[in-house]
Amino acid sequence: MKITKMLLTPNKYSRPQIPLETVTKVAVHYTGNGSTAQNNRDYFENLKDTHYTYVSSHYIVGLNGEIIQCIPEDEWSYCTNQANGYSISIETCHPDKTGKFTEASESALVELAADICKRHGLDPMKDVIRHYDVTGKQCPLWYVTHPEDWTRFKERVAAVLKPEAYAVRIGHFSKREDAEETSKCISALGFYNAIREDSGKYVVDVFSFSAKSRAEALAALLKQNLYSYVLPF
């Protein structure tokens, strides 16, 4: 995971330098504008001159999985309303109005959230929250309108922190393009996945599950149309 530090200039509109003494939550947001991580960071920075509003975030995850840090973790960001005093905020870019993150964005978000949870001793299943959980705002939109994907996201974060996790592994393709076609089909079903090379072949791993039973349930569903099996991830 590569994080590019581009800390905001201290100012009362986007980096007030209020000490964040205790971190008990990681708050996930979506940008709501379809723009890039750099553009969103620059918007926060320019608030020192425009004085337009009070807003910022600790991190921004871009469309290609790039991560920009805007504010140190021991300072407040203006992002999650009444949770600003105890949470680290992550804004995530998205390509269209559905608010659904790209696979690259979500994978980076998983890794970043897991890293924050590990360093602050947090439980992803209860301590990773949506902006929606604090204020009722439809943010991050896709995870509000698709709560099952929100649960799966938190399970992916939890799986990163566990010594053993499970994935549904599909196929054993000689050609990458065959794996890519399968990946597209799985994505169309609403499941995040990644293509990996294994001993010169290509496989499609769907998620990572902390509970083997959850992986087995998904494998059973996919087995109706695709060859799949469950392996330690």
Side-chain angles (χ1 to χ4, degrees):
M1 177 177 61
K2 179 182 178 181
I3 297 175
T4 301
K5 282 191 176 183
M6 300 182 66
L7 300 182
L8 304 179
T9 303
N11 72 93
K12 70 177 184 178
Y13 294 92
S14 58
R15 188 185 168 189
Q17 295 189 293
I18 301 171
L20 180 58
E21 297 178 353
T22 302
V23 175
T24 61
K25 301 294 180 184
V26 178
V28 176
H29 301 251
Y30 89 130
T31 59
N33 55 30
S35 191
T36 66
Q38 184 65 57
N39 285 347
N40 279 281
R41 185 267 171 198
D42 291 346
Y43 173 76
F44 295 156
E45 174 68 15
N46 289 337
L47 290 173
K48 72 181 189 301
D49 301 316
T50 65
H51 304 172
Y52 180 70
T53 189
Y54 296 85
V55 67
S56 57
S57 67
H58 289 93
Y59 296 96
I60 308 171
V61 177
L63 295 169
N64 297 309
E66 67 275 24
I67 302 172
I68 296 175
Q69 183 176 7
C70 300
I71 295 178
E73 289 187 5
D74 60 356
E75 296 180 17
W76 278 34
S77 69
Y78 282 151
C79 203
T80 319
N81 300 82
Q82 57 263 44
N84 288 337
Y86 56 82
S87 66
I88 292 175
S89 58
I90 308 172
E91 287 278 3
T92 311
C93 299
H94 51 93
D96 57 44
K97 65 182 180 180
T98 68
K100 186 175 183 179
F101 302 147
T102 65
E103 291 181 19
S105 294
E106 196 192 49
S107 293
L109 179 60
V110 166
E111 193 172 359
L112 177 58
D115 180 65
I116 295 170
C117 285
K118 182 178 180 179
R119 288 186 285 103
H120 292 276
L122 306 181
D123 177 356
M125 297 308 295
K126 66 181 182 68
D127 295 328
V128 177
I129 61 173
R130 302 165 293 186
H131 192 179
Y132 171 80
D133 298 316
V134 179
T135 67
K137 181 180 179 179
Q138 300 286 289
C139 173
L141 180 60
W142 183 267
Y143 286 154
V144 174
T145 57
H146 297 76
E148 69 283 1
D149 282 351
W150 174 242
T151 299
R152 290 169 185 151
F153 166 76
K154 291 190 293 181
E155 287 175 340
R156 290 185 68 189
V157 177
V160 172
L161 298 178
K162 292 179 70 70
E164 185 177 59
Y166 297 90
V168 177
R169 178 159 289 181
I170 302 170
H172 208 230
F173 304 100
S174 298
K175 297 180 180 180
R176 183 176 178 87
E177 52 263 36
D178 292 335
E180 290 173 346
E181 188 62 32
T182 298
S183 175
K184 290 178 183 178
C185 292
I186 297 302
S187 295
L189 293 173
F191 295 108
Y192 292 99
N193 59 87
I195 298 172
R196 304 182 188 278
E197 189 171 354
D198 180 26
S199 301
K201 301 288 185 178
Y202 297 96
V203 299
V204 180
D205 284 332
V206 186
F207 290 33
S208 54
F209 296 87
S210 56
K212 186 176 182 179
S213 59
R214 299 263 311 175
E216 288 175 333
L218 178 58
L221 174 65
L222 296 176
K223 216 164 191 177
Q224 298 173 13
N225 300 302
L226 297 167
Y227 174 65
S228 61
Y229 54 99
V230 178
L231 288 177
F233 193 60

